[in-house]
mmCIF file of all heavy atoms in Angstrom:
data_model
loop_
_atom_site.group_PDB
_atom_site.id
_atom_site.type_symbol
_atom_site.label_atom_id
_atom_site.label_comp_id
_atom_site.label_asym_id
_atom_site.label_seq_id
_atom_site.Cartn_x
_atom_site.Cartn_y
_atom_site.Cartn_z
ATOM 1 N N TYR A 203 50.624 41.768 157.815
ATOM 2 C CA TYR A 203 50.709 43.018 158.562
ATOM 3 C C TYR A 203 49.402 43.794 158.511
ATOM 4 O O TYR A 203 48.723 43.830 157.487
ATOM 5 C CB TYR A 203 51.872 43.872 158.056
ATOM 6 C CG TYR A 203 53.195 43.301 158.513
ATOM 7 C CD1 TYR A 203 53.806 42.261 157.816
ATOM 8 C CD2 TYR A 203 53.819 43.775 159.658
ATOM 9 C CE1 TYR A 203 55.011 41.717 158.261
ATOM 10 C CE2 TYR A 203 55.023 43.241 160.104
ATOM 11 C CZ TYR A 203 55.603 42.209 159.401
ATOM 12 O OH TYR A 203 56.785 41.670 159.851
ATOM 13 N N ASP A 204 49.061 44.414 159.645
ATOM 14 C CA ASP A 204 47.763 45.069 159.794
ATOM 15 C C ASP A 204 47.798 46.569 159.475
ATOM 16 O O ASP A 204 46.825 47.115 158.954
ATOM 17 C CB ASP A 204 47.266 44.884 161.232
ATOM 18 C CG ASP A 204 47.147 43.418 161.602
ATOM 19 O OD1 ASP A 204 46.224 42.766 161.087
ATOM 20 O OD2 ASP A 204 47.997 42.920 162.386
ATOM 21 N N TYR A 205 48.882 47.210 159.832
ATOM 22 C CA TYR A 205 48.983 48.663 159.619
ATOM 23 C C TYR A 205 50.299 48.968 158.914
ATOM 24 O O TYR A 205 51.315 48.336 159.179
ATOM 25 C CB TYR A 205 48.952 49.416 160.961
ATOM 26 C CG TYR A 205 47.772 49.089 161.826
ATOM 27 C CD1 TYR A 205 47.941 48.615 163.125
ATOM 28 C CD2 TYR A 205 46.472 49.260 161.362
ATOM 29 C CE1 TYR A 205 46.864 48.314 163.926
ATOM 30 C CE2 TYR A 205 45.386 48.958 162.166
ATOM 31 C CZ TYR A 205 45.589 48.480 163.434
ATOM 32 O OH TYR A 205 44.511 48.189 164.235
ATOM 33 N N TRP A 206 50.248 50.011 158.061
ATOM 34 C CA TRP A 206 51.402 50.427 157.275
ATOM 35 C C TRP A 206 51.605 51.928 157.368
ATOM 36 O O TRP A 206 50.642 52.686 157.460
ATOM 37 C CB TRP A 206 51.198 50.059 155.807
ATOM 38 C CG TRP A 206 51.300 48.597 155.547
ATOM 39 C CD1 TRP A 206 50.323 47.646 155.733
ATOM 40 C CD2 TRP A 206 52.441 47.883 155.071
ATOM 41 N NE1 TRP A 206 50.790 46.408 155.399
ATOM 42 C CE2 TRP A 206 52.095 46.521 154.978
ATOM 43 C CE3 TRP A 206 53.730 48.261 154.690
ATOM 44 C CZ2 TRP A 206 52.982 45.540 154.534
ATOM 45 C CZ3 TRP A 206 54.615 47.296 154.251
ATOM 46 C CH2 TRP A 206 54.243 45.958 154.169
ATOM 47 N N GLY A 207 52.867 52.334 157.314
ATOM 48 C CA GLY A 207 53.188 53.748 157.193
ATOM 49 C C GLY A 207 53.196 54.167 155.738
ATOM 50 O O GLY A 207 53.003 53.349 154.826
ATOM 51 N N GLN A 208 53.469 55.443 155.528
ATOM 52 C CA GLN A 208 53.420 56.006 154.176
ATOM 53 C C GLN A 208 54.760 55.907 153.447
ATOM 54 O O GLN A 208 54.823 56.135 152.238
ATOM 55 C CB GLN A 208 52.984 57.474 154.238
ATOM 56 C CG GLN A 208 54.089 58.478 154.560
ATOM 57 C CD GLN A 208 54.639 58.376 155.978
ATOM 58 O OE1 GLN A 208 54.044 57.757 156.850
ATOM 59 N NE2 GLN A 208 55.773 59.011 156.203
ATOM 60 N N GLY A 209 55.801 55.574 154.182
ATOM 61 C CA GLY A 209 57.116 55.387 153.583
ATOM 62 C C GLY A 209 58.012 56.602 153.691
ATOM 63 O O GLY A 209 57.537 57.740 153.804
ATOM 64 N N THR A 210 59.321 56.347 153.663
ATOM 65 C CA THR A 210 60.315 57.413 153.656
ATOM 66 C C THR A 210 61.397 57.041 152.648
ATOM 67 O O THR A 210 61.827 55.890 152.587
ATOM 68 C CB THR A 210 60.915 57.647 155.063
ATOM 69 O OG1 THR A 210 61.782 58.772 155.044
ATOM 70 C CG2 THR A 210 61.678 56.429 155.569
ATOM 71 N N GLN A 211 61.813 58.023 151.860
ATOM 72 C CA GLN A 211 62.757 57.771 150.784
ATOM 73 C C GLN A 211 64.185 57.733 151.311
ATOM 74 O O GLN A 211 64.622 58.640 152.033
ATOM 75 C CB GLN A 211 62.644 58.860 149.721
ATOM 76 C CG GLN A 211 63.652 58.747 148.582
ATOM 77 C CD GLN A 211 63.370 57.580 147.661
ATOM 78 O OE1 GLN A 211 62.239 57.383 147.214
ATOM 79 N NE2 GLN A 211 64.398 56.788 147.363
ATOM 80 N N VAL A 212 64.915 56.704 150.919
ATOM 81 C CA VAL A 212 66.344 56.606 151.199
ATOM 82 C C VAL A 212 67.073 56.537 149.857
ATOM 83 O O VAL A 212 66.777 55.667 149.034
ATOM 84 C CB VAL A 212 66.671 55.359 152.047
ATOM 85 C CG1 VAL A 212 68.184 55.150 152.139
ATOM 86 C CG2 VAL A 212 66.057 55.484 153.432
ATOM 87 N N THR A 213 67.984 57.455 149.652
ATOM 88 C CA THR A 213 68.759 57.486 148.413
ATOM 89 C C THR A 213 70.243 57.435 148.765
ATOM 90 O O THR A 213 70.737 58.271 149.521
ATOM 91 C CB THR A 213 68.462 58.750 147.596
ATOM 92 O OG1 THR A 213 67.061 58.814 147.318
ATOM 93 C CG2 THR A 213 69.243 58.749 146.286
ATOM 94 N N VAL A 214 70.930 56.428 148.223
ATOM 95 C CA VAL A 214 72.360 56.266 148.467
ATOM 96 C C VAL A 214 73.091 56.542 147.156
ATOM 97 O O VAL A 214 72.987 55.769 146.201
ATOM 98 C CB VAL A 214 72.694 54.859 148.979
ATOM 99 C CG1 VAL A 214 74.180 54.760 149.337
ATOM 100 C CG2 VAL A 214 71.826 54.511 150.181
ATOM 101 N N SER A 215 73.790 57.656 147.125
ATOM 102 C CA SER A 215 74.423 58.075 145.875
ATOM 103 C C SER A 215 75.561 59.038 146.179
ATOM 104 O O SER A 215 75.497 59.822 147.127
ATOM 105 C CB SER A 215 73.398 58.749 144.965
ATOM 106 O OG SER A 215 74.024 59.268 143.807
#
Side-chain angles (χ1 to χ4, degrees):
Y203 286 83
D204 302 288
Y205 306 124
W206 288 81
Q208 82 292 345
T210 186
Q211 176 71 48
V212 171
T213 303
V214 185
S215 175

